[in-house]
Amino acid sequence: MGRDTGGADLSGRVVVVTGGTRGVGAGIARAFAAAGAEVVVCARRPPDVPLDGCAFAPLDLRDAAAVREFFAGLDRVDVLVNNAGGTPYRLLGETDAERHARVIELNLTAPLTVSLAARDRLAAARGAIVMIGSVSGTRASPGTAAYGAAKAGLENLARSMAVEWAPDIRVNTLVLGMVRTESTALHYGDEAGVAAVGATVPLGRLAEPREIGEAAVFLASDAAAYISGASLLVHGGGERPAFLDAATVNKEA
Ligand SMILES: NC(=O)c1ccc[n+]([C@@H]2O[C@H](COP(=O)([O-])OP(=O)(O)OC[C@H]3O[C@@H](n4cnc5c(N)ncnc54)[C@H](OP(=O)(O)O)[C@@H]3O)[C@@H](O)[C@H]2O)c1
């Protein structure tokens, strides 16, 4: 236990991972299970691939009453990972207010609703919340503007929660770059496309969901006991500034 999770031992801790059935969330759920935690993943549909050591609870995070009922049914919650999120690609001028509202509902409102519903349990356990943010919330996000705005808001929400709910609950955000998931081919095409996109990252590749899980375990563990209201970038060095490719001076230096 704990070998792949920086040695963290989370035995006896109960961890809820929203959207933990696939993609990044499944990597997070597996990492917490590897650290010995009791993990519950929630989503609208069960996982396609079994997640060893994790229980599944059906839940639509846009249904606030169902969210409250779900947490009321749990005896204990030590860690909440607000992971569920995402967006379709559509330019601002091609979409409408209703679609924007749905994106903001999933990526910003639901993490607040879920955190409020889990708050008493988390406080009783002196627990931690980990928000899953995105680099899209730190710069322009063309084609996914409402998502970028929601993720920017999520980081800010986490900081306010960290102040209001201290010292009982620590709240931090993992700000992700590109992660390789089951949906990667939809966004970047075949292996050559994925490799080409990976080559734009300083570390030369996309992150694996397991690596996001390891960072989440760290933030939730006692090793991070004095870290709250923080954002941890997990983006492989970030995005290379475009001006470096356009610049004509100093290339020979
Ligand atoms: N993948 C990346 O490169 C990347 C980069 C930056 C940030 N992120 C962030 O990482 C998180 C996970 O992304 P991902 O790529 O792993 O997404 P994903 O593969 O689409 O998985 C999304 C998860 O959320 C669940 N979900 C979606 N809507 C839900 C709802 N209304 N109620 C309950 N569960 C819901 C899905 O299950 P159901 O559909 O069955 O409900 C699924 O488990 C998101 O917050 C995303 O913004 C991802």
Side-chain angles (χ1 to χ4, degrees), residues 19-25 42-45 59-62 83-86 106-107 132-134 147 151 176-179 181 183:
T21 51
R22 61 172 191 262
V24 173
C42 44
R44 290 164 300 179
R45 287 156 297 175
L59 186 62
D60 185 343
L61 298 167
R62 290 190 178 97
N83 162 80
L106 177 63
N107 291 281
I132 300 301
S134 167
Y147 170 78
K151 289 295 193 184
L176 310 187
M178 293 178 287
V179 187
T181 69
S183 311

Side-chain angles (χ1 to χ4, degrees), residues 2-41:
R3 207 159 53 91
D4 298 331
T5 51
D9 180 0
L10 300 182
S11 324
R13 314 264 177 107
V14 176
V15 179
V16 175
V17 183
T18 68
T21 51
R22 61 172 191 262
V24 173
I28 293 171
R30 287 195 174 98
F32 276 102
E38 197 180 307
V39 181
V40 183
V41 298

Side-chain angles (χ1 to χ4, degrees), residues 32-202:
F32 276 102
E38 197 180 307
V39 181
V40 183
V41 298
C42 44
R44 290 164 300 179
R45 287 156 297 175
D48 291 333
V49 179
L51 284 168
D52 290 344
C54 304
F56 168 71
L59 186 62
D60 185 343
L61 298 167
R62 290 190 178 97
D63 182 344
V67 166
R68 283 192 291 273
E69 194 182 333
F70 167 70
F71 281 99
L74 297 178
D75 292 333
R76 164 181 190 135
V77 182
D78 295 87
V79 179
L80 165 65
V81 184
N82 278 308
N83 162 80
T87 182
Y89 179 92
R90 205 176 284 232
L91 294 170
L92 274 172
E94 295 169 358
T95 184
D96 54 44
E98 203 175 309
R99 287 195 175 91
H100 288 148
R102 278 188 71 72
V103 170
I104 288 167
E105 202 181 5
L106 177 63
N107 291 281
L108 179 58
T109 311
L112 174 57
T113 310
V114 172
S115 301
L116 282 166
R119 182 184 174 190
D120 287 353
R121 303 281 189 278
L122 285 165
R126 284 264 170 168
I129 296 175
V130 179
M131 304 288 197
I132 300 301
S134 167
V135 292
S136 296
T138 66
R139 42 95 168 135
S141 188
T144 55
Y147 170 78
K151 289 295 193 184
L154 184 66
E155 253 189 281
N156 191 270
L157 176 69
R159 287 188 213 113
S160 297
M161 269 183 195
V163 173
E164 289 197 16
W165 295 358
D168 297 332
I169 305 172
R170 292 185 301 105
V171 189
N172 293 292
T173 306
L174 286 179
V175 179
L176 310 187
M178 293 178 287
V179 187
R180 190 182 181 110
T181 69
E182 301 89 326
S183 311
T184 298
L186 287 177
H187 303 300
Y188 308 123
D190 60 10
E191 281 304 314
V194 174
V197 170
T200 68
V201 179

